[in-house]
Amino acid sequence: METQIDPDTAAAMAIQAWWRGQLVRRALLVAASSARRIQGWWRRAQVRAWVMRTEYKRCREAARTIQTCWRGYVQRRASNCTKDVDLHIDIVLGVPGDCGDQNE
């Protein structure tokens, strides 16, 4: 049992099929465009994060260098202060056996 399709109906079905294909292709195009946009945003976010990490590491290393130099300076200054204190004590107490009497 074969059904005959009217030529107008066949033409209408062809147009409808073409139109549905256009809608599907348009939806796929929008989806692909959206995916590219999201991927671009993600890549830019990754680059920004990498730049921020690099800058953070550079600043952390600079802070570490400054702290190391400062601790060395304080240590040297502290050791010099003890020498100055010893010297100061020697000056205040004078030379052993010298009581300030110059007449002896």
Side-chain angles (χ1 to χ4, degrees):
M1 190 156 102
E2 291 184 24
T3 56
Q4 289 290 70
I5 298 178
D6 182 34
D8 290 339
T9 305
M13 289 173 59
I15 291 171
Q16 289 173 353
W18 174 82
W19 181 249
R20 282 193 303 269
Q22 290 296 321
L23 290 177
V24 169
R25 282 187 285 280
R26 187 178 305 157
L28 289 175
L29 184 65
V30 168
S33 174
S34 298
R36 280 192 298 274
R37 185 176 297 146
I38 291 169
Q39 288 170 349
W41 174 83
W42 180 252
R43 286 184 187 111
R44 285 189 302 275
Q46 290 296 310
V47 168
R48 283 193 304 270
W50 179 82
V51 167
M52 290 176 67
R53 262 192 316 274
T54 303
E55 181 66 16
Y56 169 75
K57 288 177 183 178
R58 190 182 68 79
C59 290
R60 186 180 60 189
E61 188 60 34
R64 186 178 295 145
T65 300
I66 291 169
Q67 288 172 354
T68 302
C69 291
W70 177 255
R71 288 177 184 143
Y73 168 75
V74 168
Q75 184 66 33
R76 286 189 305 276
R77 199 170 111 210
S79 66
N80 286 341
C81 283
T82 57
K83 290 177 185 175
D84 291 343
V85 170
D86 291 341
L87 179 63
H88 180 68
I89 290 172
D90 288 344
I91 292 172
V92 170
L93 295 177
V95 179
D98 182 17
C99 295
D101 297 332
Q102 305 234 347
N103 297 334
E104 293 182 9

